[in-house]
Structures are given as structure tokens and as C-alpha cells.
């Protein structure tokens, strides 16, 4: 059988196709770009991919992404942050979105996803029990439910509200400055700031 492209390039294209939102044509363009680029650039990418899983870990307290050399997230250990105010987010990158507003001085808790039966993600796959423990340990006074304004985000927020019903804390939700269906990491800073400042009790 005649080979159209070299085996190594074909394997790279197949690997790139595994990335979210990357189809066959996009994978081919990425692969050809890397081949035609300076070898140093490709080498740097390969080096960082190799180190990815050994250099990063989850914070045992907040479950944010941290360097492997750190014990806990600096956003948690920082003494200027209010540990009694916790924003609950779905994924680590949601933290970056909220931090860009410069308006939040509390800490975070990453659930590790949203309730989604289609994706076989139920409450047991989320870090809800860890959140409940943290509420007691840190004497948390307010929980901000900062999940996306999507069906999954709303379902998760409702579930958490029910789980927190017996806790003597204030539970708030980001205000409706966030359009339905927009992920936190795609929202602009002004919208996020208004949503954060206009949060409402549930």
C-alpha cells in the first residue's frame, strides 16, 4: 500500500485529533506547521508536554492546579485571602477568569466538573464531600456558587444548594450578568465583576 504521508507525521495528526475541537483538517495544519517550524519550537512543545503530568498536581485543599513543588495553592495560603468566603467553580481555569476581575479576595473550591448524566458525571464524581469538610474546617461563612449559566451549571448549583441546606452559612449565586450558555472562561472581566458584586442569596 502506498503511504501518502510519513508514518511519524500521520501519528502526530492522529494524536492532535484527540484534542477537543480539533478535526482532521485542523490536525493536519497543526502537524505541518510544527514540521515546517524551527525544530527548537517543536522540541520545546514536546518537552513541556512530557513534563506536564510530573510538574503539576491538584491542591489538596482547593483542588486548583499547582506546581508539584507546592503544598497548597498560593491563593489559599495567602494570609490576605478570606478563607471563610469560598467560590465554588467547576474547573481550575474558572479560577483564572474570576481572578482577572481583581474583585474577589476569598478562596476557591474546584468541583472537577458539573453534573451531566450524558457524560456519566454524577454527584459522586464531584468533590462535594471535600467541600463539606472544608466548610467545617475553615468555618466558612459564605459559599458563592460560581458554576456556568448552563443546564449543567444550574443543575449542579441546585444540587449544592440542597447539600448545603443544613449548614449555617450563606449560599449565593453569581448574578445574572452572565448570559445563559456562556462559560466563565469566555466571559469578559466587566461582566464577571458585575456578576460577582451582584451575587444573590439562594
Amino acid at each position: 500500500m502506498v503511504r501518502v504521508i510519513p508514518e511519524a507525521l500521520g501519528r502526530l495528526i492522529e494524536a492532535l485529533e484527540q484534542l477537543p475541537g480539533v478535526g482532521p483538517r485542523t490536525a493536519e495544519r497543526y502537524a505541518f506547521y510544527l514540521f515546517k517550524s524551527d525544530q527548537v519550537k517543536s522540541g520545546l512543545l514536546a518537552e513541556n508536554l512530557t513534563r506536564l503530568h510530573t510538574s503539576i498536581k491538584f491542591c489538596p485543599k482547593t483542588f486548583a492546579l499547582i506546581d508539584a513543588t507546592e503544598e497548597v495553592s498560593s491563593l489559599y495560603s495567602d494570609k490576605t485571602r478570606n478563607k471563610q468566603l469560598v467560590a465554588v467553580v467547576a474547573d481550575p481555569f474558572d479560577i483564572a477568569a474570576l481572578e482577572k476581575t481583581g474583585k474577589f479576595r476569598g478562596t476557591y473550591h474546584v468541583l472537577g466538573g458539573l453534573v451531566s448524566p450524558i457524560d456519566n458525571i454524577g454527584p459522586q464524581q464531584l468533590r462535594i464531600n471535600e467541600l463539606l469538610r472544608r466548610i467545617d474546617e475553615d468555618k466558612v461563612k459564605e459559599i458563592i456558587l460560581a458554576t456556568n449559566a448552563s443546564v449543567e451549571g444550574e443543575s449542579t448549583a441546585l444540587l449544592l444548594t440542597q447539600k448545603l441546606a443544613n449548614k449555617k452559612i450563606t449560599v449565593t449565586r453569581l448574578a445574572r450578568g452572565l448570559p445563559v450558555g456562556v462559560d466563565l472562561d469566555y466571559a469578559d472581566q466587566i461582566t464577571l465583576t458585575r456578576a460577582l458584586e451582584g451575587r444573590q442569596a439562594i
Side-chain angles (χ1 to χ4, degrees), residues 125-146:
Q125 273 80 48
L126 305 181
R127 301 186 184 101
I128 297 174
N129 290 331
E130 291 85 346
L131 173 63
L132 297 176
R133 281 199 300 270
R134 219 180 124 187
I135 289 172
D136 295 332
E137 291 171 359
D138 290 344
K139 297 179 173 58
V140 174
K141 292 182 178 178
E142 180 182 353
I143 291 289
I144 303 173
L145 300 179

PDB file of all heavy atoms in Angstrom, residues 125-146:
ATOM      1  N   GLN A 125     -18.914  11.880  41.396  1.00  0.00           N
ATOM      2  CA  GLN A 125     -17.665  12.187  40.685  1.00  0.00           C
ATOM      3  C   GLN A 125     -17.134  13.580  41.037  1.00  0.00           C
ATOM      4  O   GLN A 125     -16.013  13.926  40.667  1.00  0.00           O
ATOM      5  CB  GLN A 125     -17.880  12.115  39.166  1.00  0.00           C
ATOM      6  CG  GLN A 125     -17.699  10.727  38.567  1.00  0.00           C
ATOM      7  CD  GLN A 125     -18.919   9.865  38.760  1.00  0.00           C
ATOM      8  OE1 GLN A 125     -20.042  10.292  38.490  1.00  0.00           O
ATOM      9  NE2 GLN A 125     -18.725   8.644  39.241  1.00  0.00           N
ATOM     10  N   LEU A 126     -17.932  14.378  41.716  1.00  0.00           N
ATOM     11  CA  LEU A 126     -17.529  15.742  42.055  1.00  0.00           C
ATOM     12  C   LEU A 126     -16.997  15.812  43.487  1.00  0.00           C
ATOM     13  O   LEU A 126     -17.292  14.946  44.310  1.00  0.00           O
ATOM     14  CB  LEU A 126     -18.719  16.691  41.885  1.00  0.00           C
ATOM     15  CG  LEU A 126     -19.401  16.676  40.509  1.00  0.00           C
ATOM     16  CD1 LEU A 126     -20.543  17.676  40.485  1.00  0.00           C
ATOM     17  CD2 LEU A 126     -18.391  16.977  39.411  1.00  0.00           C
ATOM     18  N   ARG A 127     -16.231  16.855  43.762  1.00  0.00           N
ATOM     19  CA  ARG A 127     -15.594  16.985  45.080  1.00  0.00           C
ATOM     20  C   ARG A 127     -16.522  17.726  46.060  1.00  0.00           C
ATOM     21  O   ARG A 127     -16.155  18.763  46.626  1.00  0.00           O
ATOM     22  CB  ARG A 127     -14.260  17.705  44.935  1.00  0.00           C
ATOM     23  CG  ARG A 127     -13.291  16.969  44.004  1.00  0.00           C
ATOM     24  CD  ARG A 127     -11.933  17.618  43.991  1.00  0.00           C
ATOM     25  NE  ARG A 127     -11.056  16.962  43.031  1.00  0.00           N
ATOM     26  CZ  ARG A 127     -10.797  17.449  41.822  1.00  0.00           C
ATOM     27  NH1 ARG A 127     -11.345  18.589  41.433  1.00  0.00           N
ATOM     28  NH2 ARG A 127      -9.980  16.816  41.010  1.00  0.00           N
ATOM     29  N   ILE A 128     -17.695  17.161  46.242  1.00  0.00           N
ATOM     30  CA  ILE A 128     -18.690  17.770  47.126  1.00  0.00           C
ATOM     31  C   ILE A 128     -18.393  17.448  48.589  1.00  0.00           C
ATOM     32  O   ILE A 128     -18.470  18.324  49.463  1.00  0.00           O
ATOM     33  CB  ILE A 128     -20.110  17.311  46.744  1.00  0.00           C
ATOM     34  CG1 ILE A 128     -20.438  17.789  45.326  1.00  0.00           C
ATOM     35  CG2 ILE A 128     -21.140  17.825  47.751  1.00  0.00           C
ATOM     36  CD1 ILE A 128     -21.758  17.281  44.784  1.00  0.00           C
ATOM     37  N   ASN A 129     -18.033  16.202  48.880  1.00  0.00           N
ATOM     38  CA  ASN A 129     -17.715  15.821  50.260  1.00  0.00           C
ATOM     39  C   ASN A 129     -16.523  16.611  50.790  1.00  0.00           C
ATOM     40  O   ASN A 129     -16.490  17.001  51.962  1.00  0.00           O
ATOM     41  CB  ASN A 129     -17.438  14.322  50.351  1.00  0.00           C
ATOM     42  CG  ASN A 129     -18.691  13.491  50.139  1.00  0.00           C
ATOM     43  OD1 ASN A 129     -19.800  13.941  50.438  1.00  0.00           O
ATOM     44  ND2 ASN A 129     -18.534  12.283  49.622  1.00  0.00           N
ATOM     45  N   GLU A 130     -15.544  16.853  49.905  1.00  0.00           N
ATOM     46  CA  GLU A 130     -14.381  17.646  50.306  1.00  0.00           C
ATOM     47  C   GLU A 130     -14.790  19.078  50.644  1.00  0.00           C
ATOM     48  O   GLU A 130     -14.248  19.693  51.566  1.00  0.00           O
ATOM     49  CB  GLU A 130     -13.336  17.644  49.189  1.00  0.00           C
ATOM     50  CG  GLU A 130     -12.644  16.298  48.964  1.00  0.00           C
ATOM     51  CD  GLU A 130     -13.412  15.353  48.041  1.00  0.00           C
ATOM     52  OE1 GLU A 130     -14.608  15.624  47.772  1.00  0.00           O
ATOM     53  OE2 GLU A 130     -12.833  14.355  47.606  1.00  0.00           O
ATOM     54  N   LEU A 131     -15.766  19.599  49.901  1.00  0.00           N
ATOM     55  CA  LEU A 131     -16.268  20.947  50.172  1.00  0.00           C
ATOM     56  C   LEU A 131     -16.962  20.996  51.530  1.00  0.00           C
ATOM     57  O   LEU A 131     -16.751  21.933  52.313  1.00  0.00           O
ATOM     58  CB  LEU A 131     -17.244  21.370  49.071  1.00  0.00           C
ATOM     59  CG  LEU A 131     -17.981  22.700  49.288  1.00  0.00           C
ATOM     60  CD1 LEU A 131     -16.987  23.865  49.343  1.00  0.00           C
ATOM     61  CD2 LEU A 131     -19.007  22.931  48.193  1.00  0.00           C
ATOM     62  N   LEU A 132     -17.775  20.000  51.827  1.00  0.00           N
ATOM     63  CA  LEU A 132     -18.481  19.951  53.108  1.00  0.00           C
ATOM     64  C   LEU A 132     -17.504  19.890  54.275  1.00  0.00           C
ATOM     65  O   LEU A 132     -17.710  20.551  55.303  1.00  0.00           O
ATOM     66  CB  LEU A 132     -19.423  18.741  53.134  1.00  0.00           C
ATOM     67  CG  LEU A 132     -20.561  18.742  52.090  1.00  0.00           C
ATOM     68  CD1 LEU A 132     -21.352  17.448  52.160  1.00  0.00           C
ATOM     69  CD2 LEU A 132     -21.470  19.943  52.291  1.00  0.00           C
ATOM     70  N   ARG A 133     -16.431  19.114  54.125  1.00  0.00           N
ATOM     71  CA  ARG A 133     -15.403  19.056  55.172  1.00  0.00           C
ATOM     72  C   ARG A 133     -14.724  20.397  55.357  1.00  0.00           C
ATOM     73  O   ARG A 133     -14.457  20.838  56.468  1.00  0.00           O
ATOM     74  CB  ARG A 133     -14.358  17.984  54.839  1.00  0.00           C
ATOM     75  CG  ARG A 133     -14.794  16.568  55.155  1.00  0.00           C
ATOM     76  CD  ARG A 133     -13.622  15.625  55.255  1.00  0.00           C
ATOM     77  NE  ARG A 133     -12.858  15.563  54.016  1.00  0.00           N
ATOM     78  CZ  ARG A 133     -13.123  14.700  53.046  1.00  0.00           C
ATOM     79  NH1 ARG A 133     -14.140  13.866  53.144  1.00  0.00           N
ATOM     80  NH2 ARG A 133     -12.384  14.682  51.959  1.00  0.00           N
ATOM     81  N   ARG A 134     -14.437  21.045  54.236  1.00  0.00           N
ATOM     82  CA  ARG A 134     -13.762  22.340  54.276  1.00  0.00           C
ATOM     83  C   ARG A 134     -14.598  23.400  54.967  1.00  0.00           C
ATOM     84  O   ARG A 134     -14.072  24.270  55.666  1.00  0.00           O
ATOM     85  CB  ARG A 134     -13.439  22.791  52.852  1.00  0.00           C
ATOM     86  CG  ARG A 134     -12.099  23.456  52.742  1.00  0.00           C
ATOM     87  CD  ARG A 134     -11.841  23.878  51.333  1.00  0.00           C
ATOM     88  NE  ARG A 134     -11.569  25.287  51.313  1.00  0.00           N
ATOM     89  CZ  ARG A 134     -11.434  26.002  50.228  1.00  0.00           C
ATOM     90  NH1 ARG A 134     -11.594  25.439  49.055  1.00  0.00           N
ATOM     91  NH2 ARG A 134     -11.150  27.272  50.283  1.00  0.00           N
ATOM     92  N   ILE A 135     -15.881  23.346  54.762  1.00  0.00           N
ATOM     93  CA  ILE A 135     -16.782  24.310  55.401  1.00  0.00           C
ATOM     94  C   ILE A 135     -16.627  24.238  56.918  1.00  0.00           C
ATOM     95  O   ILE A 135     -16.568  25.268  57.610  1.00  0.00           O
ATOM     96  CB  ILE A 135     -18.242  24.050  54.983  1.00  0.00           C
ATOM     97  CG1 ILE A 135     -18.439  24.455  53.518  1.00  0.00           C
ATOM     98  CG2 ILE A 135     -19.216  24.805  55.884  1.00  0.00           C
ATOM     99  CD1 ILE A 135     -19.776  24.058  52.947  1.00  0.00           C
ATOM    100  N   ASP A 136     -16.521  23.027  57.435  1.00  0.00           N
ATOM    101  CA  ASP A 136     -16.359  22.840  58.880  1.00  0.00           C
ATOM    102  C   ASP A 136     -14.955  23.235  59.339  1.00  0.00           C
ATOM    103  O   ASP A 136     -14.792  23.916  60.349  1.00  0.00           O
ATOM    104  CB  ASP A 136     -16.649  21.386  59.260  1.00  0.00           C
ATOM    105  CG  ASP A 136     -18.104  21.001  59.008  1.00  0.00           C
ATOM    106  OD1 ASP A 136     -18.968  21.895  59.068  1.00  0.00           O
ATOM    107  OD2 ASP A 136     -18.364  19.816  58.745  1.00  0.00           O
ATOM    108  N   GLU A 137     -13.954  22.793  58.598  1.00  0.00           N
ATOM    109  CA  GLU A 137     -12.564  23.039  58.988  1.00  0.00           C
ATOM    110  C   GLU A 137     -12.207  24.522  58.978  1.00  0.00           C
ATOM    111  O   GLU A 137     -11.510  25.011  59.870  1.00  0.00           O
ATOM    112  CB  GLU A 137     -11.614  22.268  58.064  1.00  0.00           C
ATOM    113  CG  GLU A 137     -11.681  20.760  58.246  1.00  0.00           C
ATOM    114  CD  GLU A 137     -10.898  20.015  57.186  1.00  0.00           C
ATOM    115  OE1 GLU A 137     -10.309  20.684  56.295  1.00  0.00           O
ATOM    116  OE2 GLU A 137     -10.876  18.774  57.234  1.00  0.00           O
ATOM    117  N   ASP A 138     -12.663  25.238  57.947  1.00  0.00           N
ATOM    118  CA  ASP A 138     -12.308  26.659  57.805  1.00  0.00           C
ATOM    119  C   ASP A 138     -13.384  27.605  58.343  1.00  0.00           C
ATOM    120  O   ASP A 138     -13.263  28.822  58.208  1.00  0.00           O
ATOM    121  CB  ASP A 138     -12.031  26.985  56.328  1.00  0.00           C
ATOM    122  CG  ASP A 138     -10.739  26.355  55.829  1.00  0.00           C
ATOM    123  OD1 ASP A 138      -9.931  25.936  56.673  1.00  0.00           O
ATOM    124  OD2 ASP A 138     -10.550  26.280  54.607  1.00  0.00           O
ATOM    125  N   LYS A 139     -14.425  27.009  58.941  1.00  0.00           N
ATOM    126  CA  LYS A 139     -15.530  27.830  59.479  1.00  0.00           C
ATOM    127  C   LYS A 139     -16.062  28.811  58.426  1.00  0.00           C
ATOM    128  O   LYS A 139     -16.191  30.010  58.645  1.00  0.00           O
ATOM    129  CB  LYS A 139     -15.075  28.580  60.738  1.00  0.00           C
ATOM    130  CG  LYS A 139     -14.687  27.649  61.881  1.00  0.00           C
ATOM    131  CD  LYS A 139     -14.225  28.431  63.091  1.00  0.00           C
ATOM    132  CE  LYS A 139     -13.996  27.518  64.288  1.00  0.00           C
ATOM    133  NZ  LYS A 139     -13.010  26.465  64.042  1.00  0.00           N
ATOM    134  N   VAL A 140     -16.325  28.256  57.248  1.00  0.00           N
ATOM    135  CA  VAL A 140     -16.788  29.054  56.104  1.00  0.00           C
ATOM    136  C   VAL A 140     -18.134  29.710  56.416  1.00  0.00           C
ATOM    137  O   VAL A 140     -19.029  29.075  56.980  1.00  0.00           O
ATOM    138  CB  VAL A 140     -16.907  28.169  54.840  1.00  0.00           C
ATOM    139  CG1 VAL A 140     -17.530  28.940  53.695  1.00  0.00           C
ATOM    140  CG2 VAL A 140     -15.537  27.632  54.451  1.00  0.00           C
ATOM    141  N   LYS A 141     -18.259  30.988  56.051  1.00  0.00           N
ATOM    142  CA  LYS A 141     -19.492  31.745  56.298  1.00  0.00           C
ATOM    143  C   LYS A 141     -20.333  31.933  55.033  1.00  0.00           C
ATOM    144  O   LYS A 141     -21.547  32.053  55.106  1.00  0.00           O
ATOM    145  CB  LYS A 141     -19.158  33.118  56.888  1.00  0.00           C
ATOM    146  CG  LYS A 141     -18.567  33.039  58.300  1.00  0.00           C
ATOM    147  CD  LYS A 141     -18.304  34.429  58.844  1.00  0.00           C
ATOM    148  CE  LYS A 141     -17.751  34.354  60.271  1.00  0.00           C
ATOM    149  NZ  LYS A 141     -17.440  35.707  60.808  1.00  0.00           N
ATOM    150  N   GLU A 142     -19.656  31.978  53.877  1.00  0.00           N
ATOM    151  CA  GLU A 142     -20.400  32.168  52.627  1.00  0.00           C
ATOM    152  C   GLU A 142     -19.821  31.311  51.508  1.00  0.00           C
ATOM    153  O   GLU A 142     -18.606  31.236  51.323  1.00  0.00           O
ATOM    154  CB  GLU A 142     -20.394  33.631  52.180  1.00  0.00           C
ATOM    155  CG  GLU A 142     -21.176  33.850  50.880  1.00  0.00           C
ATOM    156  CD  GLU A 142     -21.160  35.288  50.384  1.00  0.00           C
ATOM    157  OE1 GLU A 142     -20.656  36.164  51.112  1.00  0.00           O
ATOM    158  OE2 GLU A 142     -21.646  35.529  49.256  1.00  0.00           O
ATOM    159  N   ILE A 143     -20.711  30.667  50.785  1.00  0.00           N
ATOM    160  CA  ILE A 143     -20.351  29.901  49.592  1.00  0.00           C
ATOM    161  C   ILE A 143     -20.947  30.616  48.390  1.00  0.00           C
ATOM    162  O   ILE A 143     -22.146  30.895  48.358  1.00  0.00           O
ATOM    163  CB  ILE A 143     -20.907  28.462  49.645  1.00  0.00           C
ATOM    164  CG1 ILE A 143     -20.204  27.636  50.720  1.00  0.00           C
ATOM    165  CG2 ILE A 143     -20.770  27.771  48.283  1.00  0.00           C
ATOM    166  CD1 ILE A 143     -18.764  27.260  50.391  1.00  0.00           C
ATOM    167  N   ILE A 144     -20.092  30.940  47.407  1.00  0.00           N
ATOM    168  CA  ILE A 144     -20.570  31.531  46.157  1.00  0.00           C
ATOM    169  C   ILE A 144     -20.595  30.436  45.101  1.00  0.00           C
ATOM    170  O   ILE A 144     -19.551  29.862  44.777  1.00  0.00           O
ATOM    171  CB  ILE A 144     -19.655  32.679  45.686  1.00  0.00           C
ATOM    172  CG1 ILE A 144     -19.537  33.759  46.751  1.00  0.00           C
ATOM    173  CG2 ILE A 144     -20.188  33.275  44.379  1.00  0.00           C
ATOM    174  CD1 ILE A 144     -18.505  34.829  46.412  1.00  0.00           C
ATOM    175  N   LEU A 145     -21.763  30.125  44.594  1.00  0.00           N
ATOM    176  CA  LEU A 145     -21.864  29.118  43.543  1.00  0.00           C
ATOM    177  C   LEU A 145     -21.549  29.801  42.215  1.00  0.00           C
ATOM    178  O   LEU A 145     -22.365  30.531  41.661  1.00  0.00           O
ATOM    179  CB  LEU A 145     -23.269  28.511  43.531  1.00  0.00           C
ATOM    180  CG  LEU A 145     -23.682  27.814  44.836  1.00  0.00           C
ATOM    181  CD1 LEU A 145     -25.096  27.282  44.732  1.00  0.00           C
ATOM    182  CD2 LEU A 145     -22.704  26.691  45.183  1.00  0.00           C
ATOM    183  N   ALA A 146     -20.335  29.563  41.724  1.00  0.00           N
ATOM    184  CA  ALA A 146     -19.849  30.234  40.513  1.00  0.00           C
ATOM    185  C   ALA A 146     -19.746  29.256  39.359  1.00  0.00           C
ATOM    186  O   ALA A 146     -18.767  29.241  38.614  1.00  0.00           O
ATOM    187  CB  ALA A 146     -18.492  30.893  40.790  1.00  0.00           C
TER     188      ALA A 146
END
